[in-house]
PDB file of all heavy atoms in Angstrom:
ATOM      1  N   PRO A  29     117.334 140.919 117.068  1.00  0.00           N
ATOM      2  CA  PRO A  29     116.549 139.972 117.858  1.00  0.00           C
ATOM      3  C   PRO A  29     117.416 138.850 118.424  1.00  0.00           C
ATOM      4  O   PRO A  29     118.537 138.644 117.976  1.00  0.00           O
ATOM      5  CB  PRO A  29     115.583 139.405 116.811  1.00  0.00           C
ATOM      6  CG  PRO A  29     116.364 139.452 115.527  1.00  0.00           C
ATOM      7  CD  PRO A  29     117.256 140.655 115.628  1.00  0.00           C
ATOM      8  N   VAL A  30     116.868 138.124 119.392  1.00  0.00           N
ATOM      9  CA  VAL A  30     117.596 136.977 119.958  1.00  0.00           C
ATOM     10  C   VAL A  30     116.766 135.691 119.945  1.00  0.00           C
ATOM     11  O   VAL A  30     117.234 134.643 120.398  1.00  0.00           O
ATOM     12  CB  VAL A  30     118.065 137.254 121.418  1.00  0.00           C
ATOM     13  CG1 VAL A  30     119.115 138.337 121.470  1.00  0.00           C
ATOM     14  CG2 VAL A  30     116.881 137.641 122.314  1.00  0.00           C
ATOM     15  N   GLU A  31     115.560 135.791 119.392  1.00  0.00           N
ATOM     16  CA  GLU A  31     114.608 134.657 119.480  1.00  0.00           C
ATOM     17  C   GLU A  31     115.134 133.364 118.841  1.00  0.00           C
ATOM     18  O   GLU A  31     114.774 132.281 119.248  1.00  0.00           O
ATOM     19  CB  GLU A  31     113.276 134.997 118.809  1.00  0.00           C
ATOM     20  CG  GLU A  31     112.387 135.929 119.617  1.00  0.00           C
ATOM     21  CD  GLU A  31     112.863 137.372 119.568  1.00  0.00           C
ATOM     22  OE1 GLU A  31     113.729 137.716 118.720  1.00  0.00           O
ATOM     23  OE2 GLU A  31     112.392 138.171 120.400  1.00  0.00           O
ATOM     24  N   HIS A  32     115.973 133.502 117.806  1.00  0.00           N
ATOM     25  CA  HIS A  32     116.385 132.279 117.090  1.00  0.00           C
ATOM     26  C   HIS A  32     117.754 131.762 117.523  1.00  0.00           C
ATOM     27  O   HIS A  32     118.341 130.906 116.872  1.00  0.00           O
ATOM     28  CB  HIS A  32     116.368 132.535 115.578  1.00  0.00           C
ATOM     29  CG  HIS A  32     115.001 132.914 115.103  1.00  0.00           C
ATOM     30  ND1 HIS A  32     113.975 132.013 115.105  1.00  0.00           N
ATOM     31  CD2 HIS A  32     114.490 134.089 114.678  1.00  0.00           C
ATOM     32  CE1 HIS A  32     112.868 132.617 114.684  1.00  0.00           C
ATOM     33  NE2 HIS A  32     113.159 133.885 114.421  1.00  0.00           N
ATOM     34  N   THR A  33     118.260 132.291 118.622  1.00  0.00           N
ATOM     35  CA  THR A  33     119.620 131.914 119.023  1.00  0.00           C
ATOM     36  C   THR A  33     119.743 130.440 119.425  1.00  0.00           C
ATOM     37  O   THR A  33     118.831 129.869 120.030  1.00  0.00           O
ATOM     38  CB  THR A  33     120.096 132.802 120.196  1.00  0.00           C
ATOM     39  OG1 THR A  33     121.395 132.346 120.591  1.00  0.00           O
ATOM     40  CG2 THR A  33     119.166 132.691 121.409  1.00  0.00           C
ATOM     41  N   LEU A  34     120.888 129.861 119.105  1.00  0.00           N
ATOM     42  CA  LEU A  34     121.194 128.487 119.518  1.00  0.00           C
ATOM     43  C   LEU A  34     122.096 128.478 120.765  1.00  0.00           C
ATOM     44  O   LEU A  34     122.434 127.419 121.278  1.00  0.00           O
ATOM     45  CB  LEU A  34     121.890 127.742 118.373  1.00  0.00           C
ATOM     46  CG  LEU A  34     121.025 127.483 117.124  1.00  0.00           C
ATOM     47  CD1 LEU A  34     121.882 126.990 115.973  1.00  0.00           C
ATOM     48  CD2 LEU A  34     119.923 126.471 117.428  1.00  0.00           C
ATOM     49  N   SER A  35     122.468 129.675 121.244  1.00  0.00           N
ATOM     50  CA  SER A  35     123.406 129.743 122.374  1.00  0.00           C
ATOM     51  C   SER A  35     122.863 129.114 123.656  1.00  0.00           C
ATOM     52  O   SER A  35     123.634 128.455 124.379  1.00  0.00           O
ATOM     53  CB  SER A  35     123.845 131.191 122.624  1.00  0.00           C
ATOM     54  OG  SER A  35     124.631 131.617 121.542  1.00  0.00           O
ATOM     55  N   PRO A  36     121.552 129.264 123.987  1.00  0.00           N
ATOM     56  CA  PRO A  36     121.089 128.587 125.208  1.00  0.00           C
ATOM     57  C   PRO A  36     121.300 127.073 125.140  1.00  0.00           C
ATOM     58  O   PRO A  36     121.675 126.460 126.143  1.00  0.00           O
ATOM     59  CB  PRO A  36     119.596 128.938 125.263  1.00  0.00           C
ATOM     60  CG  PRO A  36     119.498 130.241 124.530  1.00  0.00           C
ATOM     61  CD  PRO A  36     120.505 130.136 123.411  1.00  0.00           C
ATOM     62  N   LEU A  37     121.108 126.494 123.967  1.00  0.00           N
ATOM     63  CA  LEU A  37     121.336 125.049 123.822  1.00  0.00           C
ATOM     64  C   LEU A  37     122.798 124.716 124.126  1.00  0.00           C
ATOM     65  O   LEU A  37     123.099 123.756 124.855  1.00  0.00           O
ATOM     66  CB  LEU A  37     120.967 124.617 122.388  1.00  0.00           C
ATOM     67  CG  LEU A  37     121.237 123.163 122.036  1.00  0.00           C
ATOM     68  CD1 LEU A  37     120.355 122.230 122.849  1.00  0.00           C
ATOM     69  CD2 LEU A  37     120.995 122.908 120.545  1.00  0.00           C
ATOM     70  N   ILE A  38     123.714 125.514 123.583  1.00  0.00           N
ATOM     71  CA  ILE A  38     125.153 125.262 123.820  1.00  0.00           C
ATOM     72  C   ILE A  38     125.475 125.368 125.315  1.00  0.00           C
ATOM     73  O   ILE A  38     126.036 124.454 125.920  1.00  0.00           O
ATOM     74  CB  ILE A  38     126.029 126.277 123.030  1.00  0.00           C
ATOM     75  CG1 ILE A  38     125.799 126.133 121.524  1.00  0.00           C
ATOM     76  CG2 ILE A  38     127.510 126.125 123.397  1.00  0.00           C
ATOM     77  CD1 ILE A  38     126.534 127.179 120.676  1.00  0.00           C
ATOM     78  N   HIS A  39     125.088 126.492 125.931  1.00  0.00           N
ATOM     79  CA  HIS A  39     125.560 126.763 127.295  1.00  0.00           C
ATOM     80  C   HIS A  39     124.831 125.947 128.363  1.00  0.00           C
ATOM     81  O   HIS A  39     125.453 125.501 129.327  1.00  0.00           O
ATOM     82  CB  HIS A  39     125.479 128.264 127.587  1.00  0.00           C
ATOM     83  CG  HIS A  39     126.447 129.036 126.758  1.00  0.00           C
ATOM     84  ND1 HIS A  39     127.791 129.026 126.995  1.00  0.00           N
ATOM     85  CD2 HIS A  39     126.268 129.786 125.650  1.00  0.00           C
ATOM     86  CE1 HIS A  39     128.410 129.753 126.083  1.00  0.00           C
ATOM     87  NE2 HIS A  39     127.498 130.230 125.250  1.00  0.00           N
ATOM     88  N   ASN A  40     123.519 125.789 128.186  1.00  0.00           N
ATOM     89  CA  ASN A  40     122.790 125.000 129.201  1.00  0.00           C
ATOM     90  C   ASN A  40     123.197 123.532 129.138  1.00  0.00           C
ATOM     91  O   ASN A  40     123.287 122.859 130.164  1.00  0.00           O
ATOM     92  CB  ASN A  40     121.284 125.206 129.050  1.00  0.00           C
ATOM     93  CG  ASN A  40     120.880 126.626 129.458  1.00  0.00           C
ATOM     94  OD1 ASN A  40     121.358 127.155 130.456  1.00  0.00           O
ATOM     95  ND2 ASN A  40     120.039 127.260 128.659  1.00  0.00           N
TER      96      ASN A  40
END
Side-chain angles (χ1 to χ4, degrees):
V30 293
E31 284 76 13
H32 300 292
T33 177
L34 293 169
S35 292
L37 176 66
I38 298 175
H39 293 287
N40 290 318

